[in-house]
Amino acid sequence: MQVSIVEKKQLKAVVIRTIRNGSEVRNAWQRVQELMKYHPSVCNDEYGLVLIPEWQWPTEVTTLWTGIEVSDFDRIPEELEKITIPARRFARITVKGDRAHLEETYAYLWEWFKSEGYERDLNEGSYGYEANRLKPVNPFLVPADEIDWFDFDIYAPIKENEKVQSDRYPLIVKVEVQAEKARTIAGMELFVKQSETPPPPVIGQLWHRFMQRIEEIQDRSDNPRSYGLLSYKPPFGPGQDFTYLAGVEVEGNAPLPDGLVSRTIPEHLAAIVTFKGLVKDITQAWEYFHGGWLSQSGYEAIDDYDYEVYDHRFFGTDNEESTLEVRFPIRLKSAPSTLTDKKMYDAKGGFELQDMRDAKVHMACCKGAEFHGVDMRNASLEHVNFVDSKWEHIFFSNVHVNMAQLGGTIFENIKRPDSTESRFAEEAGTDGWVNVEPVTFRNSDLSTAIFENCDLVDVDIRNCRTDGMRINGILVQDLLGQYKSGVNDQ
């Protein structure tokens, strides 16, 4: 086996997220093909992609993204997720053989990282991927329980150690961390929906309109710089839509003319990425910050906003000597808390864990806490406030939830086991252990609930109030009435 180190350009993909399951992956592939058939953005029809969330490797990879490479995100169907993997270095190895060979190849790749001194990038937001060759045999068309021959390349992201990778980011001059004061920016803004509008031309037009009205701002500061403020709404991610404000710093509270607005940037710590080149290539600043610098920095991004700074070094959008800054708000990354000095070894997963077995935690505030890779089997939770919490990749079998208030809660992508019968021989809650018993709602108020695009095959509703309940707009009481009437007529 041979591992190669390769430089890959930015990759854009449209995908469907599923659990890590061969049948689900194939269903996702079929759906992507249906939605993207004849779509002009499809740019590589020789490979099918399976994206792997590298940050899940330390516990268990439970999620996969299946899809295809595209040239842009223009007019992409809403059902598809848009993911951009920035330009970076990967360790590449080829799988070409049966299932045993596949497992050997993955094991060899992990050993390669250990022996060669490279570090695999397992940071949050880092993706590896499998590029599956679709010819001569398309693996996505072979049922998961039948396939035993694989032909694909594995791309595992390498964690970068250099301050600036000049070969991959030639337009990045430097990066520095600096405390920034609060400032108010006044100007003109617009909303940029990236799937419909390429940002550069509309932002350029906005700046042109704003510069024609800049003299109308009465209380401009002595600061000669101009600012391009990008504001985001969560969840943050590649290709996200944003609001762009082209403006200047102001002092005081002088009223603004119609059509102009002001926004305040709070006091913050910033990573200042200096860029030199054509403005059409400015996305390299974002690729460098999120794809290289951040994971090595000891900081985490504050994803609500970032902003461009233009000063005397900027000579126009089409001048290769133009220099500008993109400032990214950051904060120190908090280290995981240690709850106990006791340790245990998880032989199945191969991890060292803090040993909290049978611990009793009472009257504790965990607001904003993050629980990752936590074994909660057989745990008891009573009088717990979960408002606005996020649960993802949860093994929720055999759980008993009693007296829960669920207003506003969304259950999404809930999956039944991919099996026809239960298997309890393995360790409970691990791969190989399966419970296919039905989910039961008993003595629960589910009034006003919405079931959308759900599989309700063989659902059994017993002794429940159904006043006002509709299926595809039809009152259930009317359906039952018609059914009873037909029975009586017989």
Side-chain angles (χ1 to χ4, degrees):
M1 297 183 187
Q2 182 175 354
V3 177
S4 303
I5 299 175
V6 296
E7 297 279 347
K8 295 290 287 184
K9 295 181 180 180
Q10 180 191 80
L11 183 145
K12 293 183 178 181
V14 291
V15 293
I16 291 179
R17 173 167 44 178
T18 66
I19 60 173
R20 184 184 175 186
N21 175 283
S23 297
E24 294 291 336
V25 166
R26 282 155 177 78
N27 291 338
W29 169 261
Q30 296 286 1
R31 185 59 178 153
V32 171
Q33 294 303 301
E34 293 171 5
L35 293 170
M36 295 298 292
K37 190 174 183 179
Y38 306 126
H39 197 288
S41 295
V42 176
C43 66
N44 191 339
D45 59 1
E46 296 183 359
Y47 291 89
L49 304 177
V50 177
L51 275 54
I52 303 168
E54 295 287 314
W55 63 94
Q56 290 184 15
W57 280 116
T59 51
E60 178 187 7
V61 174
T62 59
T63 311
L64 298 174
W65 283 261
T66 304
I68 55 177
E69 184 178 356
V70 294
S71 58
D72 56 66
F73 293 135
D74 208 15
R75 297 185 299 280
I76 298 298
E78 293 185 2
E79 185 177 334
L80 299 178
E81 287 189 54
K82 301 180 283 289
I83 291 182
T84 300
I85 299 179
R88 64 177 308 161
R89 288 198 301 169
F90 290 87
R92 181 182 66 193
I93 190 169
T94 298
V95 176
K96 199 161 189 175
D98 59 14
R99 191 172 297 276
H101 175 73
L102 182 154
E103 294 174 355
E104 291 172 4
T105 304
Y106 262 105
Y108 182 89
L109 181 60
W110 281 105
E111 289 301 319
W112 178 88
F113 272 101
K114 293 178 183 179
S115 63
E116 297 298 319
Y118 292 96
E119 185 177 356
R120 192 164 182 162
D121 188 354
L122 304 181
N123 284 286
E124 189 83 21
S126 174
Y127 290 95
Y129 61 95
E130 298 173 353
N132 293 267
R133 276 172 277 278
L134 304 180
K135 297 176 182 178
V137 177
N138 185 336
F140 299 106
L141 301 182
V142 182
D145 57 354
E146 296 180 12
I147 189 168
D148 196 38
W149 181 263
F150 303 90
D151 184 7
F152 62 85
D153 297 321
I154 303 170
Y155 290 89
I158 297 174
K159 196 170 185 179
E160 301 291 355
N161 295 314
E162 298 88 356
K163 291 286 185 180
V164 175
Q165 297 83 40
S166 58
D167 54 339
R168 290 171 48 215
Y169 304 104
L171 303 181
I172 302 303
V173 178
K174 63 178 180 177
V175 60
E176 56 187 336
V177 174
Q178 178 176 303
E180 292 289 308
K181 70 171 187 176
R183 52 171 50 93
T184 299
I185 308 300
M188 298 178 68
E189 70 176 8
L190 84 163
F191 179 72
V192 179
K193 189 173 180 61
Q194 296 209 62
S195 61
E196 298 178 356
T197 307
V202 294
I203 290 176
Q205 294 164 12
L206 179 72
W207 275 107
H208 179 73
R209 295 196 303 272
F210 169 65
M211 297 307 294
Q212 293 178 326
R213 300 191 60 187
I214 191 172
E215 298 299 331
E216 299 178 34
I217 299 177
Q218 300 178 20
D219 54 358
R220 277 185 292 162
S221 73
D222 294 333
N223 179 357
R225 297 169 174 155
S226 299
Y227 296 84
L229 174 62
L230 296 90
S231 301
Y232 309 94
K233 290 183 179 179
F236 180 80
Q240 183 182 11
D241 301 334
F242 58 91
T243 298
Y244 188 95
L245 172 66
V248 292
E249 186 175 2
V250 295
E251 297 174 347
N253 297 306
L256 291 171
D258 290 343
L260 300 183
V261 298
S262 66
R263 307 290 178 209
T264 297
I265 302 174
E267 181 180 357
H268 63 282
L269 190 66
I272 303 175
V273 177
T274 302
F275 168 90
K276 183 178 181 180
L278 303 178
V279 169
K280 70 179 182 64
D281 300 317
I282 187 62
T283 54
Q284 193 171 117
W286 277 265
E287 293 171 7
Y288 168 67
F289 174 76
H290 290 287
W293 184 86
L294 189 61
S295 63
Q296 302 294 318
S297 67
Y299 296 97
E300 59 186 9
I302 300 173
D303 292 325
D304 298 340
Y305 67 96
D306 43 53
Y307 56 102
E308 305 158 345
V309 180
Y310 300 85
D311 57 22
H312 64 281
R313 297 170 295 173
F314 184 73
F315 307 117
T317 59
D318 296 325
N319 192 318
E320 293 183 349
E321 297 300 314
S322 283
T323 299
L324 61 92
E325 297 171 353
V326 182
R327 301 189 180 185
F328 298 91
I330 56 175
R331 56 180 166 237
L332 281 171
K333 188 181 294 183
S334 55
S337 303
T338 301
L339 301 177
T340 178
D341 292 331
K342 294 190 297 180
K343 302 294 181 182
M344 64 169 289
Y345 183 72
D346 172 24
K348 191 173 185 71
F351 309 112
E352 185 180 70
L353 305 176
Q354 299 180 59
D355 189 356
M356 295 287 291
R357 289 174 294 181
D358 301 320
K360 290 179 171 56
V361 181
H362 290 209
M363 307 306 291
C365 178
C366 296
K367 184 177 181 180
E370 176 185 324
F371 296 89
H372 182 89
V374 180
D375 186 346
M376 297 277 291
R377 284 175 290 180
N378 304 320
S380 173
L381 285 77
E382 298 182 33
H383 305 293
V384 181
N385 186 345
F386 281 120
V387 171
D388 288 333
S389 64
K390 177 185 177 184
W391 297 19
E392 191 168 354
H393 311 304
I394 307 297
F395 209 134
F396 217 55
S397 186
N398 279 18
V399 174
H400 185 185
V401 180
N402 187 27
M403 300 178 66
Q405 198 282 91
L406 299 179
T409 298
I410 297 175
F411 294 94
E412 190 172 15
N413 298 320
I414 306 301
K415 299 295 184 181
R416 293 279 299 156
D418 185 24
S419 178
T420 57
E421 59 183 23
S422 297
R423 296 194 302 271
F424 300 133
E426 296 289 332
E427 183 181 358
T430 64
D431 283 348
W433 185 93
V434 177
N435 186 345
V436 300
E437 294 302 307
V439 178
T440 301
F441 294 91
R442 183 182 297 127
N443 299 326
S444 298
D445 184 354
L446 300 180
S447 58
T448 74
I450 298 171
F451 295 87
E452 184 177 355
N453 299 326
C454 293
D455 187 344
L456 301 180
V457 171
D458 293 333
V459 168
D460 187 358
I461 300 176
R462 307 172 185 172
N463 302 319
C464 295
R465 288 186 57 188
T466 58
D467 309 45
M469 180 179 175
R470 288 177 167 82
I471 299 177
N472 292 335
I474 303 173
L475 281 169
V476 170
Q477 287 180 314
D478 290 349
L479 293 173
L480 293 175
Q482 292 181 18
Y483 171 77
K484 292 176 181 178
S485 175
V487 171
N488 293 333
D489 290 343
Q490 295 176 4

